Amino acid sequence: MRHFTNVKDIGPLFAALAKARYVKENPFADQALGKNKTLLMVFFNSSLRTRLSTQKAGLNLGMNVIVLDINQGAWKLETERGVIMDGDKSEHILEAIPVMGSYCDIIGVRSFARFESKQADYDEVILNQFIHYSGRPVFSMEAATRHPLQSFADLITIEEFKKSTRPKVVMTWAPHPRALPQAVPNSFAEWMNAYDCDFVITHPRGYELAPQFVGGARVEYDQDKALEGADFVYAKNWAAYADPNYGKVINTGRSWTVTKEKMALTNNAYFMHCLPVRRNMIVSDDVIESPQSIVIPEAANRVVSAQAVLKEILLSL
Ligand code: AN0
Ligand code: CP
């Protein structure tokens, strides 16, 4: 694997899951693979899990790890070409990227959708600049349209907890006070569509995701109906995708919070969320604290997904 930005890069899922299981059972088996190799993680946005789990994955593989927070201590970067740089941006990303590439062997990038231009977000302008100008393998630590390390960890978690061969997985929109990217739901849909499950997406009208991510999934606008018989409930907020509301919160949707009453409609479903989660907006205290909540093992599997991906990239260097 050279770059890792979407589900296709990982190859067949059954093989990827087998590699993940091996990594989970033998976390230090590949220490020699990363020796004298440097992982650079570049963050344009905040992170707790991605930062710690990916760093841990690199360390487990024997790598040296450097982390750069672009907004804390680095020069402010201009990302548009052709701009007269007489404002507050001291450096252009087109110099910064090859310089960063010269200091490492693999680069991870976190760069959320900016909601300034749908086209720029959905063209993955920032991530693609890293791919084109760094000279290094690049992996996404959540880009504008996808969060594949999260989705891979979600898939590993579903495999571990599922009780039937073809579980019903329901991804439900839930309320949040701020406009959040579509990367997590897009990506989760992309991975679930590639996996053998009964996948349903539910959200209020106006929150339709991009058709290329919805794919063949069933969309059900009635949340209660969608939740019936669910084995896994995957909650997430996202801002509107459809024009003219791209990047906007169009509905406060307080009735969409995942509560005990909502979970009672399911097949004693497990509750999942990528975290960070706002309690009593997305999910009630009692649901996230219940024995059916698997948000902590889900987050723990972020080390596994990151390590499986970094290992594949290291093998291809
Ligand atoms: C981000 C998002 O929704 O994309 C990161 C989730 C992993 N969440 C927030 O900004 C709260
Ligand atoms: N789930 C996730 O990516 O969390 P962070 O934003 O804390 O990295």
Side-chain angles (χ1 to χ4, degrees):
M1 189 193 324
R2 173 105 181 132
H3 304 295
F4 177 72
T5 68
N6 65 60
V7 71
K8 289 198 201 98
D9 294 328
I10 200 83
L13 291 187
F14 73 91
L17 284 164
K19 286 174 187 170
R21 270 192 295 274
Y22 177 84
V23 158
K24 188 159 182 168
E25 281 160 20
N26 308 277
F28 308 116
D30 300 296
Q31 285 258 322
L33 201 57
K35 189 169 162 33
N36 295 332
K37 295 281 189 276
T38 299
L39 166 63
L40 170 62
M41 298 161 55
V42 181
F43 288 93
F44 287 84
N45 311 95
S46 305
S47 167
L48 186 154
R49 279 143 291 273
T50 305
R51 174 186 303 265
L52 296 178
S53 63
T54 312
Q55 181 156 4
K56 175 79 170 114
L59 295 171
N60 285 355
L61 290 163
M63 301 186 80
N64 303 311
V65 186
I66 318 175
V67 182
L68 179 68
D69 289 295
I70 294 287
N71 298 320
Q72 284 169 27
W75 301 108
K76 274 200 176 162
L77 295 182
E78 176 58 60
T79 55
E80 295 288 317
R81 217 176 144 270
V83 171
I84 297 171
M85 289 173 58
D86 61 355
D88 64 337
K89 312 239 172 87
S90 306
E91 176 155 30
H92 203 285
I93 198 167
L94 292 176
E95 282 77 55
I97 290 174
V99 168
M100 290 188 260
S102 74
Y103 301 149
C104 67
D105 300 281
I106 301 177
I107 305 187
V109 181
R110 166 162 285 202
S111 173
F112 289 177
R114 298 176 175 189
F115 290 150
E116 287 162 8
S117 153
K118 184 176 187 169
Q119 171 132 24
D121 289 342
Y122 274 71
D123 284 351
E124 289 286 6
V125 170
I126 305 290
L127 185 67
N128 282 323
Q129 283 178 323
F130 276 87
I131 289 173
H132 291 133
Y133 301 116
S134 70
R136 301 294 175 206
V138 172
F139 65 97
S140 166
M141 299 195 300
E142 185 174 340
T145 63
R146 293 176 178 87
H147 192 0
L149 286 176
Q150 179 65 51
S151 312
F152 189 11
D154 296 336
L155 173 68
I156 294 165
T157 310
I158 290 172
E159 271 287 297
E160 287 174 347
F161 282 87
K162 75 178 186 185
K163 292 181 185 135
S164 59
T165 44
R166 198 164 180 281
K168 178 174 179 183
V169 179
V170 179
M171 177 168 79
T172 180
W173 181 95
H176 192 279
R178 307 247 297 265
L180 298 186
Q182 294 107 23
V184 170
N186 283 346
S187 199
F188 186 70
E190 184 173 77
W191 286 67
M192 286 304 109
N193 283 329
Y195 176 62
D196 190 19
C197 68
D198 177 15
F199 182 49
V200 179
I201 305 175
T202 184
H203 53 73
R205 287 191 190 273
Y207 282 106
E208 289 77 12
L209 293 167
Q212 66 268 31
F213 290 105
V214 176
R218 260 194 298 146
V219 177
E220 169 57 66
Y221 291 100
D222 181 335
Q223 189 192 34
D224 288 359
K225 228 165 145 184
L227 291 173
E228 269 170 32
D231 298 300
F232 293 89
V233 174
Y234 190 92
K236 184 70 184 84
N237 172 268
W238 61 88
Y241 168 78
D243 294 323
N245 294 320
Y246 178 67
K248 296 206 173 83
V249 176
I250 55 168
N251 173 348
T252 56
R254 287 298 184 96
S255 65
W256 284 69
T257 302
V258 179
T259 58
K260 217 167 63 190
E261 292 70 33
K262 298 277 171 66
M263 291 300 283
L265 301 168
T266 69
N267 181 28
N268 196 24
Y270 289 111
F271 175 81
M272 299 178 72
H273 189 281
C274 63
L275 307 184
V277 73
R278 291 194 185 224
R279 283 177 174 223
N280 305 308
M281 286 292 300
I282 301 276
V283 58
S284 63
D285 290 312
D286 49 9
V287 170
I288 198 163
E289 290 170 2
S290 76
Q292 291 308 101
S293 169
I294 53 173
V295 296
I296 307 302
E298 179 184 3
N301 277 332
R302 290 293 306 276
V303 178
V304 182
S305 65
Q307 195 170 333
V309 165
L310 282 173
K311 180 178 168 181
E312 286 302 300
I313 297 176
L314 283 168
L315 286 169
S316 74
L317 283 181

